Amino acid sequence: MHPGDDPQAVDWIGVDFNTTGHLAVVAHPASGGVVMLGRWPERVEEEELCADRCRRYSSTSTYKRVLRRRARERSIQGDRNREVAREVVKMARQLWCGIKLEDLRGAGFAGRKEPNAPLPLSRHEGSLYHLQKLIEARAQNAGVCVVYVDPAFTSGVCSGCGEPGVRGGKESLCRRCGYAAHADANAAFNIAAAPPSRA
């Protein structure tokens, strides 16, 4: 039976979204496999500072150049989101499993205006919420089951033993069992194992 036919599918991949490093990290607990997708481009801080300095002078060529660059980056990010969504759903179909995503409407995501509001545009132009919706739409068209989990503690808990771990940058270490892993991969395994909060 395909996961799209059964919301209680027992095999899942977990997807962890990130604002640094890779856009999405996918983990499949049954095989132990991890795939990192869509590396974020390095942001040019000098241009960002220049944009802030030039913001009040909207007619300057520098500010217009920065605006054009930001528009181009948004377009590139949209393409990147579509590519990542396609790969995530493709993996789920090949593995005959469902997809678990973090519920980006929940508490713990700064900037939301009300409890059930989606992730606002202020965080990377809402690209994480946009990516979530792309995955959801592609999965529905492909007959793949998608459920959402509470994002609380997915990054801070050891996926090996369930105890609180220590995170330093992109590294995660559990002092209880000694499990060490990439922090985003650890979070993706936790997402795959978490109970659904909504379908």
Side-chain angles (χ1 to χ4, degrees):
M1 181 185 296
H2 196 279
D5 302 326
D6 180 12
Q8 300 301 318
V10 295
D11 196 13
W12 300 94
I13 56 174
V15 183
D16 179 48
F17 297 128
N18 303 285
T19 56
T20 59
H22 289 86
L23 179 57
V25 177
V26 183
H28 183 233
S31 67
V34 175
V35 177
M36 298 184 177
L37 300 168
R39 187 153 184 83
W40 282 103
E42 295 297 326
R43 298 180 77 82
V44 181
E45 298 201 10
E46 289 155 12
E47 287 206 13
E48 296 293 323
L49 291 172
C50 179
D52 292 335
R53 284 197 299 268
C54 298
R55 195 175 305 279
R56 68 180 79 88
Y57 306 113
S58 59
S59 62
T60 65
S61 61
T62 303
Y63 184 61
K64 289 179 180 178
R65 189 174 67 247
V66 170
L67 288 181
R68 283 195 299 273
R69 177 170 182 214
R70 286 183 176 172
R72 190 167 61 250
E73 285 177 351
R74 281 193 295 272
S75 174
I76 292 168
Q77 186 57 48
D79 291 341
R80 185 178 290 114
N81 281 357
R82 284 184 279 279
E83 182 181 339
V84 168
R86 185 169 53 249
E87 287 300 314
V88 168
V89 174
K90 180 180 173 184
M91 277 187 270
R93 283 180 59 84
Q94 289 174 341
L95 295 166
W96 284 79
C97 62
I99 301 169
K100 285 189 182 179
L101 304 172
E102 291 175 300
D103 188 351
L104 298 184
R105 301 178 314 164
F109 285 90
R112 65 185 176 84
K113 295 177 182 173
E114 53 191 53
N116 288 326
L119 193 66
L121 295 179
S122 60
R123 188 164 174 167
H124 282 282
E125 292 77 36
S127 62
L128 298 183
Y129 186 72
H130 175 245
L131 174 57
Q132 182 188 64
K133 289 302 174 187
L134 285 173
I135 291 172
E136 186 179 319
R138 280 187 170 274
Q140 185 176 12
N141 290 338
V144 174
C145 181
V146 174
V147 296
Y148 295 87
V149 305
D150 186 350
F153 310 115
T154 55
S155 295
V157 174
C158 173
S159 60
C161 68
E163 291 295 314
V166 177
R167 179 171 176 165
K170 289 293 184 180
E171 297 300 319
S172 178
L173 173 66
C174 179
R175 291 184 176 156
R176 182 172 182 264
C177 71
Y179 178 71
H182 190 284
D184 299 335
N186 180 67
F189 280 118
N190 283 330
I191 291 165
S197 60
R198 68 183 177 101

